[in-house]
Amino acid sequence: MSAADAVHHPDHQFDSPLQQRESLSLGMWLFLVTEVMFFGGIFVGYAVYRHMYPEMFHHMSHHLNVYMGGINTAVLLTSSLTMAFAVNAAQNGNKKRMVSMLLVTFVCSIVFLIVKYFEYAEKFHHHLVPGAHFATDPEYGDTAQIFFSFYFAATGLHGFHVLLGTICIAIFAWLGHKGHFPKEKYQPVEMLGLYWHFVDLVWIYVFPLFYLIGLT
Amino acid sequence: MSAHSHAGAIQKYIFIYLILMVLLVVTVAVAFFDLGALNLPVAMAIATVKAGLVVWFFMHVDHASVMIRFCVGASLVGLFLAFLFIFADYLTRGAAMLQMAN
């Protein structure tokens, strides 16, 4: 690392390469803090309404497909591993491995989005999307829409993050292939990794809170 | 970075990944048993262990500066405050109504 620092001069606004690296990381982490609060709002709202309608949440969770949710969890965890490999390869200046690992991560994120598409299509088909055509067990009336409102808000916002991540990973794989991230300038790849692990993190909570509450 | 520490990092990532997959299976398996009031705490405890492993090892907080660890702490404090004040309101609404009725 120190050998790379010696040849790499920081951009003019920084005192040292170390300070530059720290600033990049800090900026990304501050962004992630705002993301935690962004998703946090949905989870707080979820907690309040689940507290109000525990049985309805339990019952409505039956409509979600545990296998699809579980497969997607495994896919995201796997993509986090391959992203960690990509960052590690970038750190070590192994361009070929970095690009191939980014591509594997890209494929995983596409798989996630395809599974999500089939899940959403099923919800539309069964009239489980909140709105004028919503129809489920009359026992819970309109309150059942609350569960699916949170389901679509949480997984929709998360899915949007996955979509953005997928696009960024594709761009990074292309730029990496063109030689934009040599060993001494690998840090953008690490920032992409942080974002991707965060997306994984959100799903780690979404999965048990929506898919796994109605199995008993 | 030496070849040895590089191989060590890869091994560490694979090890963490295997733990995460085992915890995924555990959380699904546990969901099939009715633990009563413990259902939610157990699911959240497993999720938090998984999240902790991802943050600590995959997001490199194990090698991060104090400033970045502070960010992790700040997001937890922010979430805690959001839950604290929202539930301080909602959990006490019934009691306040009862007092007014008396």
Side-chain angles (χ1 to χ4, degrees):
Chain A
M1 292 299 265
S2 54
D5 289 343
V7 292
H8 169 51
H9 298 287
D11 293 339
H12 63 84
Q13 70 269 39
F14 298 106
D15 285 337
S16 66
L18 180 69
Q19 191 196 31
Q20 180 166 358
R21 284 210 309 271
E22 276 286 301
S23 304
L24 248 175
S25 293
L26 183 63
M28 191 64 199
W29 274 99
L30 285 175
F31 167 66
L32 293 183
V33 173
T34 69
E35 288 275 86
V36 168
M37 299 320 293
F38 192 15
F39 280 98
I42 292 176
F43 285 116
V44 172
Y46 167 95
V48 168
Y49 281 95
R50 183 167 165 187
H51 178 72
M52 283 175 156
Y53 305 104
E55 277 164 34
M56 181 274 284
F57 268 66
H58 188 267
H59 197 83
M60 286 305 135
S61 177
H62 287 297
H63 291 294
L64 301 184
N65 191 323
V66 181
Y67 299 103
M68 281 189 172
I71 287 168
N72 260 354
T73 312
V75 167
L76 272 195
L77 289 176
T78 307
S79 76
S80 253
L81 176 71
T82 57
M83 181 55 95
F85 285 164
V87 172
N88 185 267
Q91 225 166 8
N92 289 294
N94 190 335
K95 184 177 118 176
K96 206 176 147 194
R97 203 156 58 86
M98 174 189 76
V99 172
S100 59
M101 281 301 130
L102 282 175
L103 288 177
V104 176
T105 313
F106 175 78
V107 170
C108 286
S109 62
I110 293 288
V111 170
F112 179 91
L113 288 171
I114 291 172
V115 172
K116 206 77 224 148
Y117 164 78
F118 281 109
E119 278 191 84
Y120 275 8
E122 202 184 296
K123 301 295 168 291
F124 276 93
H125 184 72
H126 290 115
H127 300 284
L128 292 171
V129 182
H133 299 286
F134 187 84
T136 179
D137 327 15
E139 190 189 337
Y140 295 101
D142 279 343
T143 60
Q145 295 199 31
I146 296 170
F147 176 83
F148 286 98
S149 297
F150 277 110
Y151 168 76
F152 279 105
T155 61
L157 188 62
H158 177 266
F160 183 65
H161 278 77
V162 173
L163 184 64
L164 287 182
T166 307
I167 295 168
C168 289
I169 291 166
I171 293 172
F172 270 63
W174 175 247
L175 291 178
H177 174 70
K178 301 277 258 177
H180 277 257
F181 307 115
K183 189 173 175 173
E184 63 276 12
K185 285 189 174 176
Y186 82 98
Q187 256 219 323
V189 183
E190 190 174 4
M191 299 306 107
L192 178 71
L194 285 178
Y195 174 82
W196 194 250
H197 296 311
F198 172 79
V199 169
D200 186 23
L201 209 65
V202 172
W203 188 261
I204 285 175
Y205 283 97
V206 167
F207 179 57
L209 285 175
F210 286 94
Y211 291 79
L212 298 180
I213 59 178
L215 295 176
T216 50
Chain B
M1 210 176 260
S2 71
H4 178 72
S5 73
H6 159 70
I10 296 293
Q11 267 179 3
K12 183 177 76 181
Y13 291 147
I14 293 174
F15 184 61
I16 298 300
Y17 172 71
L18 291 177
I19 297 176
L20 287 169
M21 292 306 257
V22 169
L23 287 174
L24 167 61
V25 174
V26 169
T27 195
V28 173
V30 163
F32 282 96
F33 296 96
D34 192 1
L35 306 173
L38 285 177
N39 279 334
L40 184 62
V42 167
M44 285 302 93
I46 296 172
T48 302
V49 171
K50 284 165 78 181
L53 289 172
V54 170
V55 171
W56 191 253
F57 293 107
F58 284 174
M59 295 172 92
H60 297 155
V61 174
D62 54 346
H63 296 305
S65 67
V66 177
M67 199 116 89
I68 278 155
R69 289 182 182 181
F70 184 81
C71 284
V72 179
S75 60
L76 291 176
V77 170
L79 262 188
F80 171 74
L81 289 178
F83 274 91
L84 179 72
F85 285 102
I86 291 281
F87 275 93
D89 176 1
Y90 278 93
L91 290 180
T92 53
R93 283 190 179 193
M97 289 296 175
L98 223 78
Q99 267 187 348
M100 278 164 72
N102 290 334

